[in-house]
């Protein structure tokens, strides 16, 4: 298997960090480039018709969310700068599974790595799993990493 580009999905959680750390090791082993992707979705219509009239959602509501995500990505990339691997980071406002799949296809990625929280039972039914959707729909292999649980 020739792995040149690894897409790593991150939500900046401990679970995602475990996937990032594993991806760095894979990238070193295969001399591959890492592309870190953080995707977020905000259910905000551009125009809302309610309360007796229409109003446009101001951009300044979305801007702090985007800035926070980009600051977290910059911090992550700076923390990995001495890892010895080529890095790129992207912040995308889109449903996470869709953003991950679209980015993987456009790169194209040879491997996707992502953390998983391992939700079970009713939480899994209600919340669903981004990792599960990506595993089912990706056109390349997907490696999911579960962070070690604190004892």
């Amino acid at each position: 298997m020739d792995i040149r580009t690894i897409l790593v999905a991150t939500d900046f959680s401990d679970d995602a960090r475990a996937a990032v750390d594993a991806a760095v090791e894979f990238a070193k082993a295969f001399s591959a480039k890492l592309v870190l992707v953080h995707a977020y979705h905000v259910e905000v219509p551009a125009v809302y018709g309610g309360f007796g009239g229409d109003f446009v959602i101001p951009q300044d509501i979305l801007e702090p969310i985007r800035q926070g995500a980009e600051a977290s990505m910059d911090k992550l990339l700076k923390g990995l700068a001495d890892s010895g691997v080529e890095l790129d980071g992207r912040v995308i406002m889109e449903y996470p599974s869709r953003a991950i799949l679209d980015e993987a296809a456009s790169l194209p990625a040879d491997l996707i790595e992502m953390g998983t929280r391992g939700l079970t039972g009713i939480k899994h039914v209600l919340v669903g799993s981004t990792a599960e959707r990506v595993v089912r729909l990706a056109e390349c292999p997907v490696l999911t990493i579960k962070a070690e649980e604190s004892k």
Side-chain angles (χ1 to χ4, degrees):
M1 177 179 227
D2 190 19
I3 298 176
R4 285 173 264 138
T5 304
I6 301 171
L7 184 150
V8 186
T10 182
D11 62 4
F12 310 115
S13 67
D14 290 341
D15 297 302
R17 184 57 200 226
V20 169
D21 292 344
V24 167
E25 295 307 313
F26 269 77
K28 287 178 183 178
F30 290 97
S31 299
K33 175 182 180 176
L34 285 186
V35 178
L36 289 91
V37 173
H38 173 73
Y40 63 97
H41 181 74
V42 180
E43 193 68 49
V44 180
V47 177
Y48 180 76
F51 306 111
D54 291 344
F55 70 95
V56 175
I57 302 295
Q59 188 65 25
D60 62 346
I61 290 175
L62 298 177
E63 190 61 17
I65 296 169
R66 183 192 60 76
Q67 288 175 348
E70 288 184 356
S72 293
M73 180 61 75
D74 288 343
K75 181 179 177 182
L76 180 57
L77 290 170
K78 285 177 184 170
L80 296 172
D82 293 333
S83 65
V85 298
E86 183 181 352
L87 299 166
D88 187 20
R90 300 173 186 188
V91 173
I92 304 165
M93 189 171 110
E94 176 62 83
Y95 287 104
S97 58
R98 176 59 26 219
I100 293 163
L101 293 166
D102 288 350
E103 284 297 309
S106 71
L107 285 169
D110 301 300
L111 176 67
I112 298 170
E113 289 193 41
M114 57 192 308
T116 179
R117 289 189 177 89
L119 297 177
T120 59
I122 193 69
K123 285 184 182 178
H124 178 74
V125 170
L126 294 175
V127 176
S129 169
T130 298
E132 181 181 344
R133 283 187 290 281
V134 171
V135 166
R136 275 191 293 113
L137 300 172
E139 295 178 9
C140 66
V142 179
L143 177 62
T144 59
I145 309 289
K146 185 170 183 194
E148 291 183 31
E149 294 183 30
S150 311
K151 294 184 181 187

